[in-house]
Amino acid sequence: MSGRKRTLLKVIILGDSGVGKTSLMNQYVNKKFSNQYKATIGADFLTKEVQVDDRLVTMQLWDTAGQERFQSLGVAFYRGADCCVLVYDVNVNKTFDNLDNWREEFLIQASPSDPENFPFVVLGNKVDVDGGNSRVVSEKKAKAWSASKGNIPYFETSAKEDYNVDAAFQIIAKNALKNETEEEIYLPDTIDVNAQRPQKSSGCEC
Amino acid sequence: MAPPPLPNESKRENGGSSGPNTVHPTAAAAQAAAGAASSAAMAGVMLALKALKTTAESNGGVEQRPRRRQGELQNRGKNAVGEPEGGPAAGVKRHRKKRNGAGQGVRLDVPMGGLEGPMVSLQGGPPGRFQSSSKALAGLPKGGSLEKPKRGGGAQGSDSGASRREGLGLGSIDRGEGGAQRFDTQRPERTDEESGQAGSPAERAAAPSSAILQAPPVAAKASSPEIHKELGDANVQSQRGGQDADGVQIEDPPGVGEGYLGSSGSAVEGLSERSTSDSSLAEARGGCWTPGKKHTDEDDSSESWRKRKRHFFILSNAGKPIYSRYGDEHKLAGFSATLQAIMSYVENSKDTIHSIRAGAHKIVFMARGPIYLVAISATGEPESSLLRKLDLLYGQLISILTDSIERTFRRNQKFDVHSLLGGTEPVFASLMHVFSWDYAVLLRAFTCLPLPYAARQAAGVALQEIASPGLVFGLLLAPAGKIISLVAPRRTPPHPDDVLLLCNFVGASESFRTSESFVPLCLYRYNPSAFLYAYVGYLEPEVCLVLLTSQQDGFFHLKECRAHIEQSLRITGVFREVAAAVTRGGLRVEEVPSASAAAQRRLAAGTETGEGIGSLPSSRSSITASNHTLRQKQTASGDASTSGRWGPGRSRDEGLSAGLGGPAGIWHFLYRHTAVDQYLASEYSPPLETRAAQKRVFQTYQRLLASMQGDGAKSGPHRMQYRRDSEFVMLAWSTSDFDFYAVFDPLADKDAAIAVCNRVCTSIRQIEGDLFQTGPVPLAW
């Protein structure tokens, strides 16, 4: 039991293309924002260390590409995720409607042991656009959807204005951690006392 | 986070040595803690898998790639000792899993920025180029004609097939019909090399050498007492050039170093050198190598990290870092994710990625269930040797955790193995050291401390006398992982890899030195699923006893056994012999008998009797005495008299006089005794006294061995090779009884070199009872 235990969390960020997944990550990790849109190809990986309560947590952020042609990444990417962040653009209805698909896709691919309680977080991004005048998905609607999916925490964010980004990721870390501590029990059931004369005496010696 | 589960009686007792003491590697765990929590370790690593995918899909035909013609290859330069050709090219090689039928391999050559920038991208850049690393050591038959690959088809990315090049800035794709074997066609340097698949050496060799290449006569052991004595004397006399330079740090020259502090001295720094507290001992051995992980403050955004020559990573198949040789695992989470993404992406298409080439870097992948292992090397070492190291790395992980870790992953894919490894950093750090210096890695064999036959027998008897149910192995270790005696049931002889990993584990853990310990440990070749329990205790500063039992509560019994063994060893004088042997060191090339000496020795045989228990000199006084005479002799003349005696100097009939080393310019040799899976390495001596030179020798052997085994599947195993580059003449010789490898002065004469090899092999056989544990090791347990 050394001073502080460090934990690594794998966080997957999903959502339609152009909703601002990469921008959110960049804002969170690098405190930078660019108006220029550059599609993510495949995936980007970033790490960020945060303190959650008394624990030092390294977040391994998997920023995936939103375009459908990259969806074949599938299982490999989602495997062993600790938390999944669903992002949509409050100014585009379609991106919100697709959250259902993203969530289901994730649950199918990652097949977490306890899908009901798997930690998701929903982010409604780009709330700054036009001072909110071009907004089409209401906060109420989004909250209702999040609540219906097992009380997923919901945040309204702006990567551009750095609004709510830190707070959202803090909750992401916290929820993932909560889930992790419940499950992570190393089973030292490895002691095979009958190791007397194990299988091989000849055969695959090399 | 207690690493391996520990038995009950394993509470640490600080008081004395009476109580059982369990090594708890956790102690050192805190060391790895990150610097500032605020510093976000960050590296944007972009992965353009799309490029990879598109190309893979549209890859229909066989790619024609630019490659050299044979004529050119034969006339290539002389000095490329297997340094891979750099350039901006990169190759991704994919192998179809065999069971997927077709047997087709795909290799994607993808240009890539290499590891130079923070961004690793599989996209963009100039077109890829055929992977044409010049395997200088590749065994090509005389005359330079390329051997046909064994598997059918044989297109091998050569001229048969249509060319197709993808857009996206991608390189070319090669789909060899005969499978995904790489086929390096560079013709190695000079043509005076010989190799052959079969047939007797005599058939292949040219007239002058053919006669010499016959198997050395097996001489009767008793016939050469004088040699033994002389050999031992001289050993002491020259007490290791490396040690003369004690404490001197030698910087590795560019292209060789891997970030180690230089330290002269023996190749494998073992038990005694890992001690930081025991500084006198460390100084005595000239070791500057310090235990523990280095450069933990780095990550993939650090310039220094990217410049490291050889990286090793372990990660889970979820992309969570488990181990990285350099840098902090958590800060490398992004890099680790990238590696996982690359592997998983290929895996998704029911395929397996084997390697990528990116400029001078070679990236080699290995998947062991849910554990992924990756090596990234710019040292130019063969893929096969990187795979070998990854396998050992996996073995070390399993030795700490057992493979039940796989079950854990099946239940919980998120599982973070890294957290279980707290405190084991020194074990892995030491393994990395072993990878660069320990010939056991290359030869898949262990090595014994040269010891008079009778002393080793006595040690074996002492181990055999103890009776303990469940006892699996008993081991007496000398420094540097050299074995004094090893006993095991006949039915389950220990695998050399298990011995290697066990020695590494024991040697790397400082706490073993100070008290008796009882630790759970898994031998992955023996039974990867179960823990054994190792009793570890140092009987003397240089003698470590390891007893492995399957019984969890065996400590107190083994403690009694230890007392018995200790007493027995003391009575029979084994400790004294070991101390003398450790001081004496191993065989030295300067002491290879000259031709005339060999002849006279035969005459002298029988007139002199060996001293001590065995044929090697066994008392310090006699050694010192003859040591004195040898020194006198050496100073008397540069071309010291070799009349009938072993010792420094080279007789005129050897034909070569340049440089240092042994007769005919022999600088170093390795001898592997096939029947017992043991090897013998000569001591490093001038001109190999620098760390850098020793490392080059190691790497040279590495390539030589790979080429003997037919690296790259281009040809089968070879029996013999003789090749020359700007640095060394290399000779490899494989027989059914032994394998022999030697490096010579680059100006060495071939016939003389072969003659010397014969003499070395002959003389090793004459004293093999002292050099190897050859006798039967019955175990009545």
Side-chain angles (χ1 to χ4, degrees):
Chain A
M1 301 306 125
S2 53
R4 47 188 174 171
K5 180 192 149 97
R6 302 170 77 208
T7 312
L8 188 105
L9 297 175
K10 175 172 177 177
V11 178
I12 310 262
I13 303 181
L14 298 176
D16 281 6
S17 75
V19 298
K21 297 181 293 296
T22 305
S23 294
L24 277 167
M25 278 218 328
N26 249 325
Q27 181 58 258
Y28 178 57
V29 176
N30 299 331
K31 298 286 167 219
K32 277 183 191 148
F33 179 82
S34 161
N35 264 318
Q36 213 161 26
Y37 175 68
K38 271 185 277 179
T40 304
I41 299 174
D44 269 2
F45 306 102
L46 290 172
T47 56
K48 167 102 173 167
E49 282 188 2
V50 288
Q51 184 92 23
V52 180
D53 301 329
D54 59 337
R55 298 177 75 174
L56 195 57
V57 176
T58 304
M59 294 174 80
Q60 184 187 45
L61 302 166
W62 294 57
D63 175 21
T64 60
Q67 282 103 336
E68 269 182 40
R69 61 200 161 106
F70 296 122
Q71 293 320 305
S72 63
L73 300 175
V75 187
F77 269 33
Y78 303 155
R79 184 192 290 140
D82 291 285
C83 182
C84 178
V85 181
L86 302 171
V87 187
Y88 76 98
D89 179 350
V90 296
N91 308 293
V92 185
N93 245 326
K94 183 98 175 65
T95 64
F96 178 73
D97 296 341
N98 272 339
L99 287 187
D100 254 330
N101 299 335
W102 284 113
R103 183 176 165 276
E104 265 159 44
E105 172 77 2
F106 176 83
L107 289 176
I108 291 167
Q109 298 278 11
S111 55
S113 48
D114 183 9
E116 293 306 307
N117 295 315
F118 187 86
F120 284 95
V121 173
V122 176
L123 305 183
N125 196 28
K126 302 195 185 180
V127 290
D128 62 283
V129 175
D130 258 0
N133 291 330
S134 61
R135 177 167 189 151
V136 292
V137 183
S138 72
E139 185 171 358
K140 195 178 161 196
K141 187 177 170 189
K143 277 191 166 160
W145 183 86
S146 303
S148 74
K149 300 294 175 188
N151 271 326
I152 302 178
Y154 173 74
F155 287 89
E156 306 236 309
T157 58
S158 162
K160 187 177 180 182
E161 307 287 334
D162 194 10
Y163 169 69
N164 239 353
V165 176
D166 272 2
F169 276 94
Q170 193 70 19
I171 289 298
I172 289 163
K174 207 162 192 165
N175 286 1
L177 212 53
K178 204 187 296 166
N179 193 268
E180 178 248 8
T181 40
E182 283 159 13
E183 266 189 65
E184 187 151 341
I185 307 147
Y186 178 56
L187 45 148
D189 62 358
T190 52
I191 304 154
D192 239 49
V193 188
N194 67 353
Q196 285 279 41
R197 293 289 173 265
Q199 60 271 63
K200 46 192 149 184
S201 54
S202 59
C204 48
E205 286 302 308
C206 48
Chain B
M1 295 7 32
L6 298 159
N8 294 335
E9 66 268 31
S10 55
K11 297 282 173 285
R12 189 170 189 111
E13 287 183 18
N14 291 327
S17 61
S18 58
N21 199 337
T22 306
V23 164
H24 232 295
T26 331
Q31 138 209 15
S38 59
S39 76
M42 191 286 297
V45 188
M46 199 261 278
L47 179 69
L49 289 169
K50 172 187 129 196
L52 198 63
K53 180 176 164 66
T54 337
T55 333
E57 279 167 355
S58 53
N59 152 39
V62 176
E63 167 68 354
Q64 178 178 12
R65 355 175 118 259
R67 65 186 308 174
R68 294 165 208 270
R69 302 219 160 261
Q70 285 183 10
E72 291 170 37
L73 300 177
Q74 287 167 23
N75 296 327
R76 281 209 67 228
K78 294 173 182 175
N79 62 347
V81 195
E83 291 297 327
E85 267 178 28
V92 180
K93 190 170 58 154
R94 310 208 297 173
H95 290 201
R96 286 268 177 230
K97 277 182 187 152
K98 274 173 193 131
R99 66 179 111 90
N100 289 342
Q104 278 197 326
V106 185
R107 185 175 59 234
L108 302 179
D109 274 16
V110 185
M112 158 170 194
L115 298 173
E116 302 307 332
M119 184 164 284
V120 173
S121 166
L122 292 183
Q123 190 182 34
R129 204 155 53 94
F130 180 60
Q131 188 169 355
S132 58
S133 63
S134 69
K135 285 283 164 18
L137 296 173
L140 295 173
K142 199 162 188 168
S145 67
L146 295 170
E147 284 183 43
K148 284 274 190 290
K150 278 183 179 162
R151 284 200 259 165
Q156 297 293 352
S158 67
D159 299 349
S160 60
S163 165
R164 178 185 293 251
R165 193 148 276 170
E166 286 298 325
L168 301 165
L170 259 185
S172 48
I173 300 148
D174 180 46
R175 178 171 277 182
E177 287 176 3
Q181 328 156 344
R182 186 175 356 95
F183 196 39
D184 296 313
T185 55
Q186 303 291 19
R187 172 67 181 166
E189 46 289 344
R190 296 252 288 248
T191 51
D192 60 353
E193 63 188 71
E194 291 153 62
S195 72
Q197 302 248 29
S200 78
E203 283 172 356
R204 277 182 281 96
S209 51
S210 61
I212 310 168
L213 287 174
Q214 287 158 1
V218 185
K221 190 170 142 27
S223 70
S224 53
E226 191 198 357
I227 308 170
H228 309 149
K229 180 168 164 294
E230 292 281 329
L231 193 63
D233 294 347
N235 279 339
V236 173
Q237 171 268 317
S238 36
Q239 267 313 306
R240 230 175 304 253
Q243 288 190 4
D244 295 339
D246 270 355
V248 179
Q249 289 189 5
I250 297 146
E251 301 256 327
D252 287 327
V256 181
E258 284 190 37
Y260 284 113
L261 281 179
S263 101
S264 47
S266 63
V268 187
E269 280 151 312
L271 306 176
S272 69
E273 279 150 318
R274 301 222 169 89
S275 160
T276 40
S277 54
D278 194 353
S279 58
S280 60
L281 197 50
E283 273 170 33
R285 310 261 323 180
C288 311
W289 187 76
T290 49
K293 183 167 171 169
K294 298 178 197 68
H295 313 294
T296 48
D297 53 331
E298 295 178 350
D299 60 51
D300 52 341
S301 62
S302 343
E303 184 77 4
S304 54
W305 187 89
R306 294 201 296 271
K307 282 189 172 156
R308 304 249 168 250
K309 289 273 181 187
R310 198 166 63 191
H311 289 272
F312 287 96
F313 304 94
I314 313 179
L315 48 135
S316 78
N317 64 358
K320 293 192 177 183
I322 296 172
Y323 168 79
S324 168
R325 177 180 185 184
Y326 298 113
D328 175 72
E329 282 84 2
H330 275 224
K331 290 182 180 175
L332 290 169
F335 191 81
S336 177
T338 311
L339 294 175
Q340 189 268 348
I342 293 170
M343 292 182 80
S344 299
Y345 179 76
V346 180
E347 194 181 281
N348 257 8
S349 47
K350 303 275 183 288
D351 210 338
T352 308
I353 188 163
H354 283 216
S355 68
I356 297 178
R357 272 205 49 202
H361 289 86
K362 174 164 276 180
I363 309 171
V364 176
F365 301 88
M366 177 185 277
R368 287 275 190 269
I371 306 288
Y372 287 171
L373 300 108
V374 181
I376 302 180
S377 166
T379 58
E381 69 185 286
E383 187 172 325
S384 59
S385 86
L386 288 171
L387 283 170
R388 160 86 178 138
K389 285 162 190 171
L390 288 180
D391 185 53
L392 285 171
L393 183 58
Y394 177 74
Q396 193 78 73
L397 181 76
I398 293 305
S399 77
I400 295 165
L401 298 173
T402 77
D403 68 3
S404 69
I405 201 75
E406 291 188 20
R407 253 179 300 142
T408 311
F409 268 111
R410 270 201 295 278
R411 242 175 295 175
N412 178 14
Q413 294 188 323
K414 307 189 308 193
F415 189 68
D416 184 10
V417 184
H418 178 64
S419 61
L420 282 181
L421 294 176
T424 58
E425 292 89 354
V427 176
F428 287 100
S430 161
L431 186 66
M432 292 302 135
H433 186 74
V434 162
F435 282 173
S436 297
W437 296 101
D438 195 333
Y439 289 109
V441 174
L442 306 185
L443 297 170
R444 296 162 198 264
F446 52 88
T447 190
C448 287
L449 180 74
L451 200 64
Y453 179 78
R456 200 186 312 283
Q457 285 298 104
V461 167
L463 286 177
Q464 284 162 36
E465 275 171 3
I466 60 168
S468 174
L471 207 52
V472 180
F473 297 127
L475 195 60
L476 274 174
L477 278 176
K482 290 188 176 175
I483 286 167
I484 298 165
S485 183
L486 189 160
V487 291
R490 196 165 312 177
R491 282 190 301 160
T492 53
H495 192 287
D497 289 353
D498 280 337
V499 176
L500 171 69
L501 294 174
L502 173 66
C503 290
N504 182 57
F505 184 87
V506 171
S509 310
E510 210 42 56
S511 28
F512 288 132
R513 316 193 137 267
T514 48
S515 50
E516 294 174 280
S517 312
F518 196 61
V519 284
L521 187 70
C522 169
L523 299 184
Y524 90 124
R525 297 281 191 191
Y526 181 76
N527 183 354
S529 310
F531 271 127
L532 296 172
Y533 297 88
Y535 172 92
V536 183
Y538 277 77
L539 308 180
E540 293 270 296
E542 291 183 319
V543 181
C544 176
L545 171 69
V546 182
L547 298 171
L548 281 167
T549 179
S550 62
Q551 305 216 328
Q552 205 177 341
D553 53 358
F555 175 80
F556 288 102
H557 178 70
L558 293 180
K559 188 174 158 59
E560 286 167 24
C561 293
R562 170 225 169 99
H564 190 268
I565 292 169
E566 194 167 2
Q567 191 188 14
S568 172
L569 293 178
R570 212 170 290 286
I571 290 169
T572 50
V574 171
F575 289 139
R576 200 174 55 241
E577 293 289 351
V578 168
V582 168
T583 317
R584 198 161 53 226
L587 297 187
R588 309 182 61 83
V589 290
E590 302 93 296
E591 293 136 21
V592 172
S594 66
S596 55
Q600 297 205 9
R601 161 167 45 82
R602 252 171 250 129
L603 294 173
T607 62
E608 218 176 309
T609 52
E611 280 182 75
I613 309 183
S615 36
L616 279 173
S618 55
S619 79
R620 282 166 187 273
S621 57
S622 75
I623 291 164
T624 324
S626 37
N627 178 8
H628 182 63
T629 57
L630 277 171
R631 270 197 201 286
Q632 282 183 330
K633 207 189 303 174
Q634 194 176 32
T635 46
S637 151
D639 186 11
S641 157
T642 54
S643 57
R645 304 192 56 96
W646 288 55
R650 216 175 282 125
S651 71
R652 287 183 201 88
D653 60 339
E654 295 299 342
L656 178 115
S657 55
L660 304 150
I666 188 168
W667 282 354
H668 192 265
F669 64 82
L670 298 175
Y671 180 99
R672 187 187 192 282
H673 193 312
T674 308
V676 293
D677 277 341
Q678 291 168 39
Y679 77 92
L680 173 78
S682 68
E683 295 287 340
Y684 290 118
S685 48
L688 303 179
E689 71 271 52
T690 69
R691 194 88 165 147
Q694 290 163 10
K695 186 172 266 184
R696 277 200 299 280
V697 166
F698 188 90
Q699 290 171 345
T700 298
Y701 279 128
Q702 190 162 268
R703 289 187 290 264
L704 187 62
L705 263 79
S707 76
M708 283 294 277
Q709 285 145 19
D711 192 32
K714 92 178 115 288
S715 58
H718 301 291
R719 285 292 189 78
M720 173 164 288
Q721 283 191 57
Y722 177 88
R723 60 181 64 242
R724 187 190 299 267
D725 66 21
S726 60
E727 280 191 298
F728 304 113
V729 160
M730 293 147 272
L731 196 145
W733 182 16
S734 180
T735 75
S736 56
D737 295 335
F738 64 87
D739 298 322
F740 184 79
Y741 308 91
V743 293
F744 288 78
D745 186 305
L747 300 173
D749 173 71
K750 185 165 87 177
D751 294 343
I754 290 169
V756 163
C757 288
N758 270 324
R759 283 212 305 281
V760 172
C761 292
T762 309
S763 56
I764 285 176
R765 287 193 158 208
Q766 284 166 348
I767 53 170
E768 79 177 9
D770 297 332
L771 302 172
F772 304 104
Q773 176 172 325
T774 49
V777 194
L779 192 56
W781 296 340

